[in-house]
Amino acid sequence: MTAMVKAEGVHKSFGAAHVLKGIDLEVAPREVFCLVGPSGSGKSTFLRCINHLEQINAGRLYVDGNLVGYRQKGDKLFELKDREVAAQRRDIGMVFQRFNLFPHMTAIENVMEAPVQVKGETKAVARERAQRLLDRVGLADKAGNYPSQLSGGQQQRVAIARALAMEPKLMLFDEPTSALDPELVGDVLDVMRGLAEDGMTMIVVTHEMGFAREVGDSLVFMDDGVVVESGHPRDVLTNPQQDRTKAFLSKVL
């Protein structure tokens, strides 16, 4: 079975800062893959490399068997044209820490926008799906509300519906609850739990260790640009093998 995501020796630098130092990992289809670690460990950067928002400096990244951002001829890599990168990105939904909704559009218009503009869907088809997705994230009654009329948790759930509107085969979550008030976190995690139950392949950068333990299939602890430890979430969280993992978990659990 082809891995949904495969990283081979992935390196990324920003100037003199070497942020990713040879990441190797695989994510299977339908897997919920959690990335944890301290701020600055490279988790979010790695996520952004998966859909080529950041270019890698060395190594290979594959999504569903396809090289991300490049074409290989012999042993040379050639960067894809913007149009080809955009086509790859269609299959990858991304939900950011900040919701990035269009403030001048209602919730349903935010969810409809990409299918209409990118896929050329009719507004009627896009609207029907958008309403269904808002219902799925528990916001059927907020379709006509603007982002400013929604709580942070509601905005984040609209952002998830918007990512799902493109019918992606992979969802990336970059600390989706870290900007939310504590009492709003549960609603967003419930939506993500539902996606996991439906078999969506997900990579989740998170500080929510309870979610990782309950919902995750795999957990990777990253620090300083490397994978320090990986395994089943319960094993890593209850019986970490590496001193660095133990030190980190002692602060967050």
Side-chain angles (χ1 to χ4, degrees), residues 237 240 243-253:
L237 294 174
D243 289 342
R244 183 67 194 90
T245 318
K246 289 174 189 170
F248 173 75
L249 293 175
S250 72
K251 293 194 180 81
V252 298
L253 287 179

Side-chain angles (χ1 to χ4, degrees), residues 107-169:
I108 198 165
E109 287 167 348
N110 265 283
V111 179
M112 289 168 59
E113 180 72 359
V116 171
Q117 297 299 334
V118 179
K119 284 187 169 176
E121 280 186 5
T122 66
K123 286 197 170 176
V125 168
R127 181 176 293 275
E128 188 184 329
R129 185 194 298 110
Q131 188 62 56
R132 208 166 56 237
L133 287 169
L134 288 173
D135 187 32
R136 183 177 181 178
V137 300
L139 293 173
D141 59 333
K142 302 290 185 188
N145 289 40
Y146 289 91
S148 61
Q149 299 168 314
L150 301 171
S151 71
Q154 290 169 335
Q155 289 185 60
Q156 191 60 294
R157 284 185 278 155
V158 173
I160 293 172
R162 180 177 62 178
L164 292 172
M166 290 295 283
E167 301 182 317
K169 54 189 171 189

Side-chain angles (χ1 to χ4, degrees), residues 2-253:
T2 305
M4 183 57 79
V5 177
K6 186 174 186 182
E8 298 176 344
V10 170
H11 287 258
K12 173 65 185 174
S13 296
F14 295 99
H18 195 176
V19 180
L20 299 176
K21 303 172 181 175
I23 301 292
D24 294 293
L25 54 80
E26 275 192 30
V27 181
R30 303 175 72 86
E31 185 172 9
V32 178
F33 190 95
C34 296
L35 279 172
V36 305
S39 295
S41 56
K43 310 180 301 294
S44 294
T45 298
F46 177 68
L47 217 57
R48 292 170 67 83
C49 290
I50 293 173
N51 62 3
H52 208 59
L53 287 173
E54 301 288 356
Q55 299 169 338
I56 63 177
N57 301 116
R60 302 278 190 278
L61 255 175
Y62 300 89
V63 170
D64 204 16
N66 298 310
L67 196 57
V68 172
Y70 298 91
R71 180 182 295 108
Q72 186 160 349
K73 281 190 180 167
D75 54 2
K76 280 206 171 69
L77 289 183
F78 299 91
E79 190 159 12
L80 295 177
K81 295 184 175 72
D82 288 348
R83 192 182 71 245
E84 296 169 299
V85 172
Q88 283 188 335
R89 226 176 252 149
R90 277 186 203 181
D91 291 330
I92 305 172
M94 186 151 185
V95 178
F96 298 89
Q97 200 169 344
R98 295 280 168 200
F99 330 119
N100 300 348
L101 298 177
F102 297 116
H104 62 291
M105 292 182 181
T106 62
I108 198 165
E109 287 167 348
N110 265 283
V111 179
M112 289 168 59
E113 180 72 359
V116 171
Q117 297 299 334
V118 179
K119 284 187 169 176
E121 280 186 5
T122 66
K123 286 197 170 176
V125 168
R127 181 176 293 275
E128 188 184 329
R129 185 194 298 110
Q131 188 62 56
R132 208 166 56 237
L133 287 169
L134 288 173
D135 187 32
R136 183 177 181 178
V137 300
L139 293 173
D141 59 333
K142 302 290 185 188
N145 289 40
Y146 289 91
S148 61
Q149 299 168 314
L150 301 171
S151 71
Q154 290 169 335
Q155 289 185 60
Q156 191 60 294
R157 284 185 278 155
V158 173
I160 293 172
R162 180 177 62 178
L164 292 172
M166 290 295 283
E167 301 182 317
K169 54 189 171 189
L170 170 66
M171 284 283 281
L172 309 176
F173 291 90
D174 190 7
E175 298 190 15
T177 58
S178 63
L180 301 179
D181 292 333
E183 69 268 24
L184 302 176
V185 167
D187 292 338
V188 173
L189 293 180
D190 284 344
V191 170
M192 294 169 65
R193 205 173 270 117
L195 290 179
E197 286 165 4
D198 291 346
M200 174 63 76
T201 311
M202 296 157 60
I203 303 180
V204 185
V205 173
T206 187
H207 295 295
E208 301 290 341
M209 299 300 162
F211 174 85
R213 185 189 289 110
E214 289 165 45
V215 184
D217 298 301
S218 301
L219 184 139
V220 159
F221 171 65
M222 278 178 71
D223 189 30
D224 197 26
V226 299
V227 172
V228 176
E229 188 162 347
S230 62
H232 191 278
R234 286 197 182 92
D235 297 338
V236 177
L237 294 174
T238 55
N239 189 23
Q241 302 300 302
Q242 303 296 323
D243 289 342
R244 183 67 194 90
T245 318
K246 289 174 189 170
F248 173 75
L249 293 175
S250 72
K251 293 194 180 81
V252 298
L253 287 179

